[in-house]
Amino acid sequence: MTTVGILALQGDFDRHERALARLELASRQVRYPDELDGLSALIIPGGESTTISKQLNRSGLRSEIVAFARQRPVMGTCAGLILMARESGDPQVEPLGLLDLEISRNGWGRQVHSFRTTLTADIAGDRAELPAIFIRAPRIVATGPEVEVLAELDGAPVLVRQGHHLAMSFHPELTPDARIHGLFMAALAA
Amino acid sequence: MTTDTGSSEVKIGLAEMLKGGVIMDVTTADQAKLAQDAGAVAVMALERIPADIRADGGVARMSNPAMVQSIQEQVSIPVMAKCRIGHFVEAQILEALEVDFIDESEVLTPADDANHIYKHDFKVPFVCGCRDLGEALRRIGEGAAMIRTKGEAGSGNIVEAVRHLRTVMSQIRRLTVLDTDQLMSESKNLGAPFALVEQVARIGKLPVPNFSAGGIATPADAALMMQLGAEAVFVGSGIFKSEDPASRAEAMVAATTYYNDADKLAQISAGLKGAMAGLEMSAIPPAERLQERGW
């Protein structure tokens, strides 16, 4: 039985639940370290990255997630991307260092500059058009050699993969398109 | 490449990101720093917190732009600010400052006693208060991207917040069991746009996130509103009118995450000093109740 955990310290975790439900996958909200037990994968949702970062420390989840990520795939959207990076670009956010990335928080601007666009992404060997919503979005400013860039916008990577982990600047959970969640789930089968 | 800014989905998207969090009222850059350190998802920049507006009287207006900017410079979390009901020029100024959310708020003195702002005209999202489903859907019809059910701001008394959230939730539940034949009549009773009434009947929730605000003074209050169905909470006077703002702010954040865990709530609440004193509703004459503002 495949159960996907969704970090539920704060943010739009319920939207990821709905996205997984559309793929007929079971999910579980994670607020305590023991709730990671038995999960096949973990999603770090959109939300306020400073808030989630502080609560990772207070909950004891930080080291547990780092250990979990050595064995299992993790996906991060927006705040989740910042938290998965090596360098967050903001002393208020202590990242988990799961991906060799440097981030500029809100690098795509404040809320009045938030936008929707269509990306061209590499999904399972195909070039696919993908709707993407960017909300006060983080910009990836540097990527390490092991990072595979699956989509770019204005010359900046916006969808990346490293090993079995996947992360992006935008919010696939806010659109009905389930292909990103499907791509992440493909890492489980691999 | 084409990009589309200021659409409803982008505005509602930010509201989605704030769910499960605490938005804190702050009046100085130092308070904003404290709120961010505690784990607030956003701060509301205003010159006086509601308890002081209530005590001082006079006309309450949008904050000075310099004050809002000093807070934007201090923190990296979203910064919200309030404009008066119907005062679309205050809203234009706040949009020019690039605040992340505008609260068209009854806590300030209304500028228009018949109309709210037409919020679809703005790229910045708005939050508005409501006491019932009709008021919520009128605000959403005008373009609000987030609703906060009103308590009585600055009272430290949770009773009004509970009344209004219970009202909204039961009106939503009622819509889901009505025949479609009955929805037009219910739309008329609620004073709400028919298309939104139909939508709520179909999805069983508001089409935008619904937060709770007004009178939240303790971690237990925050958890109560979350258990009743709020998706996040605003805390105004409750933090900086208490005896221990830093530890109380952190406790509010924890209580909003662990709102269903009584053991954890007991642990969170145990170390705190005194909450704000608060007011009995009978001590606030009806004409002075901020919640009555909004049409």
Side-chain angles (χ1 to χ4, degrees), chain B residues 41-250:
Chain B
V41 289
V43 289
M44 177 74 72
L46 72 177
E47 280 173 349
R48 290 177 292 170
I49 54 175
D52 291 333
I53 291 175
R54 181 180 296 291
D56 295 352
V59 173
R61 309 181 179 92
M62 175 186 80
S63 297
N64 187 315
M67 179 270 178
V68 176
Q69 283 169 316
S70 72
I71 287 173
Q72 288 174 309
E73 283 157 20
Q74 179 67 49
V75 297
S76 63
I77 59 178
V79 175
M80 302 185 170
K82 292 183 192 287
C83 72
R84 283 179 267 178
I85 289 174
H87 204 316
F88 51 84
V89 174
E90 284 187 348
Q92 289 164 3
I93 292 169
L94 293 173
E95 182 171 61
L97 293 173
E98 299 197 350
V99 302
D100 295 295
F101 237 104
I102 295 176
D103 185 0
E104 186 183 17
S105 176
E106 68 283 358
V107 167
L108 304 183
T109 310
D112 188 323
D113 62 4
N115 307 294
H116 285 249
I117 296 171
Y118 185 71
K119 293 166 273 285
H120 291 293
D121 280 347
F122 290 78
K123 284 195 169 180
V124 61
F126 280 74
V127 53
C128 289
C130 81
R131 291 188 297 166
D132 58 38
L133 183 59
E135 195 176 4
L137 296 181
R138 288 193 294 278
R139 298 296 85 79
I140 294 167
E142 294 156 357
M146 178 201 295
I147 289 297
R148 49 175 175 74
T149 54
K150 300 181 209 175
E152 182 58 23
S155 70
N157 188 335
I158 199 69
V159 66
E160 297 299 298
V162 168
R163 182 206 319 280
H164 299 140
L165 186 55
R166 278 203 184 277
T167 299
V168 170
M169 299 309 277
S170 48
Q171 287 174 318
I172 291 173
R173 279 192 289 270
R174 177 178 150 74
L175 282 187
T176 64
V177 296
L178 290 180
D179 281 341
T180 46
D181 307 337
Q182 297 173 289
L183 293 179
M184 183 58 85
S185 169
E186 192 62 12
S187 163
K188 182 181 166 193
N189 293 339
L190 290 168
F194 179 65
L196 291 174
V197 169
E198 268 190 307
Q199 189 181 356
V200 171
R202 194 172 64 246
I203 64 179
K205 65 187 291 299
L206 291 181
V208 304
N210 182 19
F211 293 9
S212 175
I216 297 170
T218 67
D221 289 346
L224 174 65
M225 300 319 294
M226 293 295 287
Q227 287 198 26
L228 284 172
E231 294 177 283
V233 297
F234 287 78
V235 183
S237 317
I239 290 171
F240 291 101
K241 282 289 172 192
S242 74
E243 292 173 11
D244 51 353
S247 45
R248 183 162 298 264
E250 195 174 317

Side-chain angles (χ1 to χ4, degrees), chain A residues 59-73:
Chain A
S59 63
L61 272 163
R62 177 177 295 278
S63 57
E64 299 291 327
I65 291 176
V66 171
F68 179 88
R70 286 193 203 106
Q71 312 293 330
R72 307 277 185 199

Side-chain angles (χ1 to χ4, degrees), chain A residues 5-158:
Chain A
I6 307 172
L7 189 66
L9 295 173
Q10 189 273 320
D12 72 337
F13 47 86
D14 63 319
R15 301 299 295 254
H16 281 284
E17 274 179 345
R18 275 199 252 169
L20 293 171
R22 279 198 290 272
L23 295 170
E24 297 181 349
L25 283 163
S27 65
R28 180 200 303 160
Q29 297 182 4
V30 174
R31 293 183 181 80
Y32 304 90
D34 63 5
E35 288 173 331
L36 290 168
D37 295 348
L39 294 177
S40 307
L42 179 70
I43 294 176
I44 306 181
E48 177 44 49
S49 57
T50 61
T51 302
I52 299 173
S53 172
K54 290 166 208 297
Q55 299 214 80
L56 282 174
N57 293 339
R58 294 170 192 164
S59 63
L61 272 163
R62 177 177 295 278
S63 57
E64 299 291 327
I65 291 176
V66 171
F68 179 88
R70 286 193 203 106
Q71 312 293 330
R72 307 277 185 199
V74 179
M75 177 169 89
T77 63
C78 193
L81 161 71
I82 303 171
L83 288 160
M84 288 174 72
R86 174 173 54 75
E87 179 54 64
S88 76
D90 183 338
Q92 289 290 324
V93 185
E94 196 184 324
L96 296 160
L98 310 182
L99 300 173
D100 192 2
L101 300 173
E102 285 177 37
I103 304 293
S104 167
R105 266 197 75 209
N106 309 330
W108 293 94
R110 294 186 195 276
Q111 174 61 16
V112 291
H113 305 292
S114 293
F115 60 93
R116 180 195 177 101
T117 191
T118 303
L119 300 172
T120 306
D122 274 320
I123 293 185
D126 288 329
R127 297 295 285 170
E129 302 261 291
L130 201 67
I133 297 176
F134 289 71
I135 309 284
R136 280 171 51 91
R139 189 185 277 264
I140 298 172
V141 292
T143 56
E146 290 173 35
V147 174
E148 191 185 349
V149 176
L150 304 181
E152 289 190 343
L153 184 65
D154 287 353
V158 292

